[in-house]
Amino acid sequence: MSAEVPAFAGFPVAALDFYDDLELDNTKSFWAAHKHVWEESVRDPMLALTAALAPEFGQAKVFRPYRDVRFAKDKTPYKDHQGAFVETGPSTGLYVQVGAPGVFVGAGYYHPESERLAALRRAVADDRTGEDLERILAALERRGWVRGGERLKTVPRGFDADHPRIDLLRHKTLTLRRDYGFEPFVHTSALLDAIRKDWRAARPFLTWVEHAAG
């Protein structure tokens, strides 16, 4: 690790407190008065965390704290969390986030292009590859991951309503999430090992996605 980035020591309690306060006062004046807290307790630890994970998983995109409010009804200027994303394929990858509820990790694909989504659905429908995905998801869910993502309310075109994997076929996006909340270890360097272990566990899922879409 470069000398400019210190070793990751967890997200301090001040990081969660900062987002608690921001939820109550999401204004430019609050941000200006507390920006140093975000820099020291949120931004810098996230940069240290992603730098420590980069040799194994790749460089992460650490998202900006500002919301794009141009077309939003909610005009609050700042995000209520800090996220980072490692892309493993088009609209696919690994995620970590810290906010008032604590820390969680994620993996999956979001907003795939129509051809990619069609290929993923064909792989879900296929007995061999679809059953492989079911086994991968079941193994992750036994480890505490929770399945999510945007789903159609109706049956996707070209598939039968009684397909054995119709629930998976309805997914337009498919994500998995594992929450650490505000367990004491998120404030220590042990969080790095937990994320590394969980991101490794998610690799079979992401590999399946890339093979299915490829």
Side-chain angles (χ1 to χ4, degrees), residues 163-195:
H163 191 284
R165 286 177 294 282
I166 190 59
D167 184 60
L168 282 170
L169 287 168
R170 284 195 173 104
H171 276 272
K172 296 176 68 177
T173 67
L174 181 56
T175 60
L176 289 163
R177 167 175 171 153
R178 186 153 192 236
D179 278 279
Y180 305 141
F182 39 82
E183 291 291 333
F185 77 89
V186 306
H187 306 305
T188 75
S189 60
L191 178 60
L192 172 61
D193 293 330
I195 294 172

Side-chain angles (χ1 to χ4, degrees), residues 10-180:
F11 288 104
V13 174
L16 279 60
D17 290 344
F18 170 82
Y19 283 111
D20 269 330
D21 294 338
L22 183 65
E23 287 180 358
L24 297 174
D25 187 10
N26 196 322
T27 62
K28 293 182 178 179
S29 59
F30 172 86
W31 186 267
H34 298 85
K35 185 178 180 181
H36 67 284
V37 179
W38 173 78
E39 291 174 341
E40 296 167 6
S41 300
V42 178
R43 183 198 63 187
D44 290 353
M46 183 64 83
L47 291 174
L49 173 64
T50 54
L53 292 166
E56 180 172 353
F57 299 99
Q59 194 68 39
K61 176 181 180 180
V62 177
F63 294 104
R64 289 162 53 86
Y66 313 105
R67 296 183 63 248
D68 184 353
V69 300
R70 290 174 297 173
F71 308 107
K73 292 182 180 179
D74 178 4
K75 298 299 183 181
T76 51
Y78 304 103
K79 295 176 183 175
D80 61 3
H81 60 273
Q82 176 64 61
F85 180 72
V86 176
E87 187 176 72
T88 60
S91 301
T92 304
L94 297 156
Y95 185 71
V96 58
Q97 177 176 302
V98 60
V103 180
F104 76 85
V105 290
Y109 61 86
Y110 62 97
H111 303 308
E113 295 181 354
S114 57
E115 290 183 5
R116 185 173 174 85
L117 179 58
L120 290 166
R121 283 190 171 139
R122 287 194 297 270
V124 170
D126 180 86
D127 284 341
R128 181 181 61 83
T129 53
E131 289 176 3
D132 285 345
L133 177 60
E134 285 183 312
R135 284 191 290 270
I136 291 168
L137 294 178
L140 288 168
E141 287 166 349
R142 285 194 295 270
R143 293 174 61 104
W145 293 76
V146 177
R147 192 187 312 181
E150 184 182 357
R151 297 171 59 216
L152 294 173
K153 294 181 180 179
T154 58
V155 177
R157 186 177 301 175
F159 298 98
D160 295 329
D162 60 354
H163 191 284
R165 286 177 294 282
I166 190 59
D167 184 60
L168 282 170
L169 287 168
R170 284 195 173 104
H171 276 272
K172 296 176 68 177
T173 67
L174 181 56
T175 60
L176 289 163
R177 167 175 171 153
R178 186 153 192 236
D179 278 279
Y180 305 141

